[in-house]
Amino acid sequence: MNQIRHFKSREHIEQEAAAWVIKIDQKPLSASERDELERWLAQSQAHRRSFLALADVWQELDGLTSESEAVTQQAARPSQKQMPIVWSAAAAVLLAIALFTFHLRTANVPDIHAEYQTATGEIEQYLLPDGSRIKLNTRSNVVVDFSAHERAIHLQEGEANFEVAKDPKRPFVVYTNRGSITAVGTAFNVRVQSSGIDLVVTEGKVKVDAASSVLEPVRYDDKPSTRTELPDRSAQQIVAVSAGEKLRFGNTTQHHTNPSQQEIDRQLSWQQGMLAFDSTPLAEAVREISRYTDTHIIIEDPALAELPVGGYFKAGEVDAMLEVLELSFNLSAEHQGNRILLSKK
């Protein structure tokens, strides 16, 4: 279920993080203060990210004790239920040094927060500031959240193809409602369906974590956002997928295959604005055609659902596709308002 959430500004979160560090340095936290800090860390990825980034600098400056390092490990855990933490003091002077170093490192790395979506029948391409490219298929929506530490893409619905620019220090992660896909420099296609996620890798290698529990666009403004809850999983399902391989994964199942190049080309033909079918069941072809039109196409005779059809069509030109089906496969297409009824002649 979608939830509307409001996010604090980045500057506000960093100020709060700094205030916590100062308080920790002055004296050990009381039980109530520890509880308050745990709630603060659990608010969002942005809170934990700011804390961990500063902690990383402190470690390099030898400003963290072994006990404080345990705290950063606790903060890094994504669970919303944090365990009680025992803190020890850190040197106050390192706070200013750490903040200064942190801002020097991230000053030239722009935070990007944008949302892109396509309407029915639209196919659009977007060039991101890091040089990566996103091509969105019809009825698709992505939220882009780039920070100094991660290039996060939240594929809310539909289908997208990604050409990822290399940046080992900032992993490129695509989050879906069934898990995440991580790449450094590669090209891959992701489609969100009710039955699961379809992934095709065309270049390089990606890591799929089907147990990821985070699909929360991190916003540093006051605009509302949505969060999609993932099914609870007790065990991780991490799979490496290389170029030329395909993976479909859902709540509990995975199907890893090595399709032919022809099959990959057919599945990705939408990027050229085309739809390709080869002995495809009519019901499946109709579902694909329907993605590019608001007209409802109905197969009246259930016996026709498995009829194998083939052809190469321009996406969105429904009438032309139906004409080919009528002539080549002895079908009848009857228009009734916003519906088209397919039947045997």
Side-chain angles (χ1 to χ4, degrees):
M1 181 175 65
N2 289 337
Q3 299 175 339
I4 302 299
R5 305 188 68 188
H6 295 272
F7 293 87
K8 297 178 180 178
S9 69
R10 176 182 179 180
E11 291 76 13
H12 188 75
I13 292 174
E14 289 181 358
Q15 289 171 4
E16 289 183 342
W20 275 115
V21 174
I22 293 173
K23 181 179 290 189
I24 293 165
D25 177 65
Q26 290 175 342
K27 63 179 181 179
L29 298 181
S30 66
S32 61
E33 288 173 329
R34 288 198 300 270
D35 290 341
E36 184 181 353
L37 175 56
E38 290 158 15
R39 288 192 296 271
W40 184 86
L41 287 170
Q43 286 184 42
S44 74
Q45 289 186 73
H47 291 71
R48 294 188 293 274
R49 180 183 294 160
S50 295
F51 178 84
L52 291 170
L54 290 171
D56 183 56
V57 175
W58 297 338
Q59 287 174 327
E60 293 181 14
L61 296 172
D62 293 326
L64 281 179
T65 66
S66 59
E67 290 177 283
S68 297
E69 290 173 0
V71 169
T72 66
Q73 294 172 6
Q74 177 69 36
R77 298 173 188 170
S79 172
Q80 297 297 312
K81 296 180 180 179
Q82 302 283 345
M83 296 298 291
I85 301 170
V86 178
W87 295 81
S88 63
V93 67
L94 289 177
L95 172 62
I97 299 174
L99 284 170
F100 178 73
T101 306
F102 172 67
H103 284 292
L104 277 181
R105 288 183 178 179
T106 60
N108 296 321
V109 182
D111 282 351
I112 304 299
H113 312 288
E115 183 171 4
Y116 303 110
Q117 59 185 359
T118 52
T120 300
E122 289 184 339
I123 298 175
E124 299 289 347
Q125 180 169 276
Y126 305 95
L127 176 63
L128 303 181
D130 70 329
S132 298
R133 294 179 183 273
I134 299 178
K135 180 172 281 190
L136 285 186
N137 202 352
T138 178
R139 297 177 184 171
S140 300
N141 178 279
V142 295
V143 174
V144 176
D145 279 296
F146 278 18
S147 72
H149 311 287
E150 181 183 73
R151 295 172 291 170
I153 306 291
H154 304 269
L155 182 56
Q156 311 281 24
E157 62 177 327
E159 183 173 15
N161 187 265
F162 303 94
E163 296 180 11
V164 182
K166 292 185 178 181
D167 187 350
K169 294 183 178 180
R170 289 197 303 163
F172 190 100
V173 185
V174 177
Y175 292 99
T176 75
N177 63 347
R178 302 295 178 91
S180 65
I181 301 160
T182 303
V184 176
T186 185
F188 57 99
N189 193 87
V190 184
R191 179 174 175 180
V192 176
Q193 301 192 74
S194 59
S195 58
I197 307 298
D198 279 343
L199 166 68
V200 177
V201 179
T202 55
E203 180 183 323
K205 179 184 291 186
V206 302
K207 180 188 74 173
V208 175
D209 182 357
S212 293
S213 59
V214 177
L215 183 57
E216 178 181 321
V218 179
R219 299 291 182 85
Y220 294 115
D221 53 33
D222 294 327
K223 296 179 181 179
S225 182
T226 59
R227 172 175 176 160
T228 302
E229 298 292 345
L230 287 173
D232 183 26
R233 302 180 182 89
S234 58
Q236 287 190 332
Q237 304 171 45
I238 299 178
V239 180
V241 185
S242 300
E245 296 179 345
K246 178 179 178 179
L247 178 70
R248 167 170 284 191
F249 59 97
N251 288 346
T252 58
T253 61
Q254 296 179 1
H255 187 53
H256 201 158
T257 60
N258 293 88
S260 66
Q261 187 59 49
Q262 290 77 13
E263 182 180 346
I264 292 177
D265 291 342
R266 283 195 299 273
Q267 183 169 342
L268 304 184
S269 61
W270 68 267
Q271 296 177 38
Q272 286 74 48
M274 305 297 293
L275 298 179
F277 305 116
D278 182 16
S279 298
T280 304
L282 179 61
E284 183 179 332
V286 165
R287 282 195 298 271
E288 194 66 21
I289 294 169
S290 297
R291 297 173 65 196
Y292 298 86
T293 178
D294 291 322
T295 301
H296 300 287
I297 305 175
I298 301 170
I299 301 176
E300 281 203 303
D301 184 356
L304 295 177
E306 296 301 319
L307 176 69
V309 298
Y312 197 61
F313 309 98
K314 187 171 179 60
E317 294 188 355
V318 178
D319 289 339
M321 287 187 278
L322 292 176
E323 184 178 347
V324 172
L325 291 177
E326 286 183 294
L327 294 175
S328 303
F329 300 96
N330 198 31
L331 298 177
S332 173
E334 180 183 353
H335 292 256
Q336 293 185 357
N338 196 39
R339 302 192 309 166
I340 297 176
L341 306 181
L342 290 180
S343 60
K344 193 75 173 176
K345 284 185 178 178

